[in-house]
Amino acid sequence: MNDALRPMAARPRLYEQVLDRLRAYVAEGGLRAGDRLPTERDLAARLGVSRASVKQAIVVLEVQGLVEVRHGGGTYLVRDGLDVAEPVERLVERKKRLPDVLEAREALETKLAELAAERRTDENLTALRAALDRMAEDIGAGGLGIEGDRLFHAAVTAAAHSTLLAAFMREIDEPIAESRTESLRQPRRPGRSLAQHRAILTAIEAGDGRGAAAAMRRHVRSVAKVRLLEWDPDSSSTGT
Amino acid sequence: MNDALRPMAARPRLYEQVLDRLRAYVAEGGLRAGDRLPTERDLAARLGVSRASVKQAIVVLEVQGLVEVRHGGGTYLVRDGLDVAEPVERLVERKKRLPDVLEAREALETKLAELAAERRTDENLTALRAALDRMAEDIGAGGLGIEGDRLFHAAVTAAAHSTLLAAFMREIDEPIAESRTESLRQPRRPGRSLAQHRAILTAIEAGDGRGAAAAMRRHVRSVAKVRLLEWDPDSSSTGT
DNA sequence: ATTGGCTGAGTGGCTGAGCCAATCTGAGCG
DNA sequence: CGCTCAGATTGGCTCAGCCACTCAGCCAAT
C-alpha cells in the first residue's frame, strides 16, 4: 500500500502552539521549580491570543502535573522544566520497528508464563483452554486463529496475577497485535503456533514454571523469527 | 513544617467536575470507541456551565488521547471508556509492596543482560568494569557498595541498547533503589552481591547471552529472597 | 448512473469584554 | 512594631458572537 500521500498532519490547535511557546519560554529563561509564570493576561497579550486559549494550555500543563495554579496567586512551576518525561507510549510508536517490541515481549511473557504456572486458578485454566479451543476451531475452519491467539496470551497474563507486568504488557499491546496478524499469515504458521500454545498450556497445567517459561520463550522467538524475515524497513504498516 | 492537616480537597476546578460528569456519562451510556459525544453547546447547556469550561475538559481528554476532536465534525471516543489506563507510576506506588516489582525486575533485567552480552560496545564494558571497581573499593572500605551496584545495573541497561526495555526499567527505578539499600544491609550480602556481579560481567564480556541471563537471574532472585525475608507487611517504608 | 460543485445547517475554534473570588500588597492605625 | 483592611492583582468562569471546517443533500455536467 503506497501511502506516499500523507495522513495530512493535523495540528492547527492554538493551545498546542501556546504550549510550545511556553515550553520554549521556560527552557530559554531557565525557569526552575517554584518560579512563577507570567500572568494569563500578560501571556495572552504577548502571544496575541485570547486568554481562553492560554487557559487551555495551562490546564493541560496542570493535568500533567507540571504546573500549580493558585487562584489569585499566579501559576508556578512544579519541576525545573515543562517537558514531560517521554511517555513510553510514544517510544512504542517510534519503535514499532518491531525488534525492540519483540525483545520486550519475550522478557515479559516468559516471566508471565512462569508465574502463570505457579499461580493459575481454575478459572484461569478454563480461560486458557477456551482460548486454545477457539484457536483450534478457527484454524480447522481455514482461519488464522488470530482471536484465539490473542485470548490465549491475555489469559496467560491474567493467570500470572501480576498487575505490574500486566501494565507493561498493555503498553506494547497494539504493536504485538499487529505482529500477530502478520506472523499467522505465514504458511503453516497457524498450526505450529497452536502446537506451541499447547505446550505452554501443558506446562502451566502441570504447575511447571520453568517449563512454561521455556515453552513461551520458544514460542515468542519463533514468532520473532518469522516476523523478522518479512521485515522490510522501508514499508510502514498499512492500516490506521 | 507540620502540614499534617493540609490536603483539604483542593478541587473547586470546574473543568474537573465536568470531566467527572463526562466520564460518568460515557460509562453509564456504555459509549464505545467511535461513538460521538454530545456537542459542546449541548453539554454546556445540560451541565449548566459555559462552553469554555466544557472545552477545557475536552482539551484534557484530547491530550490524554481519549478523545478525537474533529473541527466541524464533533468529538469522538478513541477507546471504549474515558478512564485513563491506570498509569504505571501509580501502580508502582501501590505496589511498592515489593514482590511485584521484583518479578518485573527479574523479567526485564534477565533479558537486558542477555542483550548486553550480545551488543555491548567497548564503552559499555568500560562502564561496567568501572562500576564494579567502584563497588569493590567501597566494600573494601567497609561500605555497602550501593552506588557501584546502581551504576552496574544502569550500565547493563545501557549496554543492552533497547530503548523500550530501558523505559520500563525507569518506571520501577525508585522501588528498586530502595530494595537495593535494604538488601545490601544484610550481613555478608555486599560481598556476595559483588561476586554475582562479577559473574554477570564475565558472561557479558564473553558475549555469552544465555550465561549472562542466567547469572542475572540468580542475582536478582537472591536479592528478592533476602528482601522478602525482611518483609514486614505492616510497616510501610519510612521515607517520602 | 456517476462525478463534481454548490449550499446551508451544524459544530468546533477562538475572541473580547466583563464579573466574581482568592490572594497579595502596602498604607495607616493602635 | 505589628496588625488590619481596602485596593490592586490574578485566576475562575460566563456570555455573546464570529470564523472555519464538516457533512449531507441537491443539482448540473458528464
Side-chain angles (χ1 to χ4, degrees):
Chain A
M1 188 67 74
N2 179 347
D3 58 0
L5 29 177
R6 62 315 171 77
M8 264 310 280
R11 321 183 48 212
R13 283 305 205 304
L14 229 206
Y15 78 83
E16 293 186 344
Q17 299 177 42
V18 173
L19 234 20
D20 288 341
R21 295 299 198 93
L22 283 178
R23 293 206 170 94
Y25 170 78
V26 168
E28 288 171 17
L31 296 215
R32 317 197 49 179
D35 288 348
R36 193 173 128 172
L37 254 42
T39 70
E40 295 184 355
R41 287 172 175 85
D42 187 22
L43 286 171
R46 289 211 245 168
L47 295 174
V49 303
S50 76
R51 222 181 121 201
S53 296
V54 170
K55 168 113 299 214
Q56 287 177 17
I58 290 182
V59 164
V60 170
L61 293 176
E62 194 179 13
V63 299
Q64 291 182 335
L66 298 174
V67 117
E68 179 188 345
V69 181
R70 300 182 202 152
H71 187 169
T75 304
Y76 297 79
L77 291 198
V78 169
R79 307 186 201 169
D80 278 1
L82 278 187
D83 296 310
V84 107
E86 182 162 38
V88 177
E89 198 174 275
R90 209 171 308 290
L91 263 183
V92 171
E93 191 62 29
R94 187 181 323 140
K95 287 299 183 179
K96 259 181 182 164
R97 325 296 278 193
L98 272 220
D100 263 46
V101 172
L102 293 174
E103 283 163 18
R105 182 185 181 187
E106 183 189 321
L108 298 175
E109 286 213 280
T110 298
K111 184 67 185 175
L112 282 167
E114 178 187 327
L115 292 175
E118 296 164 356
R119 302 178 179 173
R120 77 285 187 285
T121 65
D122 289 345
E123 288 102 54
N124 291 144
L125 287 176
T126 303
L128 286 164
R129 293 186 186 118
L132 236 49
D133 288 345
R134 171 149 185 182
M135 189 174 178
E137 187 180 340
D138 187 22
I139 293 176
L144 298 180
I146 292 176
E147 183 62 9
D149 187 321
R150 189 185 69 73
L151 287 171
F152 182 79
H153 288 279
V156 171
T157 299
H161 299 283
S162 168
T163 48
L164 234 194
L165 287 173
F168 285 151
M169 279 301 291
R170 269 203 301 281
E171 304 203 38
I172 56 173
D173 202 45
E174 188 197 320
I176 283 183
E178 291 177 15
S179 76
R180 171 159 27 241
T181 304
E182 294 204 32
S183 168
L184 288 172
R185 283 213 183 100
Q186 305 300 312
R188 308 188 42 175
R189 182 68 207 152
R192 294 187 184 185
S193 182
L194 179 57
Q196 292 174 337
H197 281 187
R198 286 200 207 283
I200 295 168
L201 175 56
T202 301
I204 291 178
E205 285 175 327
D208 175 9
R210 294 177 63 113
M216 178 63 87
R217 176 173 291 111
R218 275 195 298 276
H219 173 53
V220 174
R221 286 197 174 168
S222 75
V223 168
K225 205 175 302 173
V226 150
R227 183 60 176 66
L228 291 177
L229 287 178
E230 286 297 290
W231 181 247
D232 175 355
D234 289 329
S235 83
S236 348
S237 72
T238 56
T240 303
Chain B
M1 185 78 77
N2 178 348
D3 57 359
L5 36 174
R6 281 300 309 298
M8 248 329 274
R11 329 178 48 213
R13 284 301 208 307
L14 228 207
Y15 78 84
E16 294 188 340
Q17 298 176 43
V18 173
L19 233 21
D20 288 341
R21 295 297 197 92
L22 283 178
R23 291 194 222 275
Y25 170 79
V26 168
E28 288 172 17
L31 296 216
R32 317 197 48 180
D35 288 348
R36 196 174 125 170
L37 254 42
T39 70
E40 294 184 355
R41 289 172 174 82
D42 188 21
L43 286 171
R46 288 211 247 169
L47 295 175
V49 302
S50 76
R51 220 183 123 199
S53 296
V54 170
K55 168 115 300 222
Q56 288 177 17
I58 290 182
V59 164
V60 170
L61 293 175
E62 193 179 12
V63 300
Q64 292 182 334
L66 297 173
V67 119
E68 179 187 346
V69 181
R70 301 181 202 152
H71 188 169
T75 304
Y76 298 79
L77 290 199
V78 169
R79 309 187 200 168
D80 279 359
L82 277 188
D83 296 310
V84 179
E86 185 163 33
V88 178
E89 196 174 278
R90 212 172 305 291
L91 262 184
V92 171
E93 191 62 29
R94 188 181 322 138
K95 286 301 181 177
K96 261 181 181 160
R97 324 297 278 195
L98 271 222
D100 264 44
V101 172
L102 292 174
E103 284 163 19
R105 183 185 179 186
E106 182 188 322
L108 298 174
E109 286 212 281
T110 299
K111 184 68 184 176
L112 283 167
E114 178 186 329
L115 293 174
E118 296 165 357
R119 303 180 178 170
R120 79 281 187 287
T121 65
D122 289 345
E123 290 101 57
N124 292 144
L125 287 177
T126 302
L128 286 164
R129 292 185 187 118
L132 236 49
D133 287 345
R134 171 149 186 182
M135 189 175 178
E137 188 179 338
D138 187 22
I139 293 176
L144 297 181
I146 293 177
E147 183 61 9
D149 187 323
R150 188 186 69 74
L151 287 172
F152 182 79
H153 287 280
V156 171
T157 300
H161 298 282
S162 168
T163 48
L164 235 193
L165 287 174
F168 286 151
M169 280 301 290
R170 268 202 303 283
E171 305 205 37
I172 56 173
D173 202 46
E174 189 197 319
I176 283 182
E178 292 177 15
S179 76
R180 171 159 28 241
T181 303
E182 295 204 31
S183 167
L184 288 171
R185 283 213 184 100
Q186 304 301 311
R188 308 189 40 175
R189 182 67 206 156
R192 294 189 184 186
S193 182
L194 179 57
Q196 292 174 338
H197 282 187
R198 286 201 205 284
I200 295 168
L201 176 56
T202 300
I204 291 179
E205 285 176 327
D208 175 8
R210 294 177 62 114
M216 179 64 86
R217 177 173 290 111
R218 273 194 301 277
H219 173 54
V220 174
R221 286 195 174 170
S222 75
V223 169
K225 204 175 302 172
V226 151
R227 184 63 176 64
L228 291 177
L229 286 178
E230 286 299 289
W231 181 246
D232 174 356
D234 289 330
S235 83
S236 354
S237 71
T238 56
T240 302

